[in-house]
Amino acid sequence: MAAAKIAPSMLSSDFANLASEAERMVRLGADWLHMDIMDGHFVPNLTIGAPVIQSLRKHTKAYLDCHLMVTNPSDYVEPFGKAGASGFTFHIEVARDNWQDLIQSIKSKGMRPGVSLRPGTPVEEVFPLVEAENPVELVLVMTVEPGFGGQKFMPEMMDKVRTLRKKYPSLDIEVDGGLGPSTIDVAAAAGANCIVAGSSIFGAADPGAVISVLRKSVEGSQNKN
């Protein structure tokens, strides 16, 4: 069974105080810290790159779960490996021709490879990457159109999660976009075990309680199945 992992999305944190925000999230029970890397091309927004990961790494031992919403993921593998990224999740839409090499290079730099898909991309596109001899170790199902925080959760994406969980019982399946106490049960029941949540954690009066609600929902669903 794939363990529950709650990953606050640092895009919703106070970027001017990233180190203390990271420390606070870990103290409140976060398993991973989700880092949104956007290049202004693959998605319209521009966020952070390897230098920020490198700076943050000096202040935390946490698992830095990096989601690369970029057009040329292969250009980022070496700098992110050097910077201290833990996971490197690329988008299938920009890696249809070179995903084998990409997975190999991510692993060679000591990072854990993952693949993500936009809402409009069929889930079948990632099957070969999970079943490869040298596979990805995580699939991130976007539950909003990537690029901006604070969007509404798309419940119809849960079909993708259910399909993946049925096919791959021990795979890390991550969901990102609009996750919070009101949407977690649907995602957990579908089989998601890695939960990215931004505004619902950082905007809460008691972020630790939200992290705990998310974890309990995942663990509760797993115990039922």
Side-chain angles (χ1 to χ4, degrees):
M1 195 192 298
K5 297 172 192 88
I6 310 305
S9 175
M10 301 308 287
L11 187 63
S12 297
S13 75
D14 174 6
F15 266 8
N17 293 296
L18 201 49
S20 62
E21 289 282 67
E23 191 274 327
R24 178 168 74 111
M25 287 300 119
V26 171
R27 193 176 70 238
L28 293 174
D31 302 281
W32 291 356
L33 300 176
H34 189 78
M35 313 300 295
D36 288 300
I37 318 305
M38 307 182 191
D39 65 355
H41 292 276
F42 181 71
V43 286
N45 207 352
L46 183 67
T47 57
I48 59 168
V52 174
I53 300 296
Q54 189 172 354
S55 298
L56 181 58
R57 178 47 84 209
K58 294 177 182 142
H59 297 275
T60 183
K61 293 187 171 70
Y63 185 98
L64 300 178
D65 175 38
C66 297
H67 174 202
L68 285 96
M69 290 163 268
V70 300
T71 306
N72 300 310
S74 50
D75 295 348
Y76 293 76
V77 176
E78 190 162 336
F80 272 75
K82 280 191 180 141
S86 312
F88 186 108
T89 298
F90 58 89
H91 267 266
I92 186 60
E93 298 86 0
V94 290
R96 290 186 176 107
D97 303 327
N98 66 337
W99 57 263
Q100 279 138 318
D101 295 341
L102 198 48
I103 291 171
Q104 182 54 48
S105 68
I106 292 165
K107 286 189 171 174
S108 75
K109 296 286 179 278
M111 296 177 290
R112 193 164 176 250
V115 66
S116 181
L117 57 169
R118 292 180 112 138
T121 304
V123 70
E124 292 74 19
E125 289 205 25
V126 303
F127 293 172
L129 286 73
V130 181
E131 293 168 19
E133 211 165 296
N134 197 14
V136 290
E137 295 173 30
L138 170 143
V139 174
L140 167 54
V141 174
M142 290 304 296
T143 47
V144 297
E145 197 52 59
F148 294 95
Q151 294 182 73
K152 217 165 151 19
F153 175 76
M154 299 164 78
E156 60 275 24
M157 291 303 122
M158 292 306 99
D159 287 345
K160 292 181 183 178
V161 176
R162 274 187 283 274
T163 301
L164 288 166
R165 181 55 71 215
K166 201 172 166 190
K167 241 174 124 53
Y168 312 113
S170 60
L171 178 68
D172 270 335
I173 301 173
E174 187 166 48
V175 284
D176 179 6
L179 270 306
S182 62
T183 48
I184 182 60
D185 289 347
V186 185
N193 68 297
C194 303
I195 310 297
V196 178
S199 3
S200 68
I201 291 177
F202 286 96
D206 185 350
V210 176
I211 291 173
S212 170
V213 164
L214 300 176
R215 181 187 314 286
K216 283 186 178 129
S217 178
V218 172
E219 289 173 349
S221 280
Q222 289 179 337
N223 293 336
K224 273 182 207 145
N225 295 337

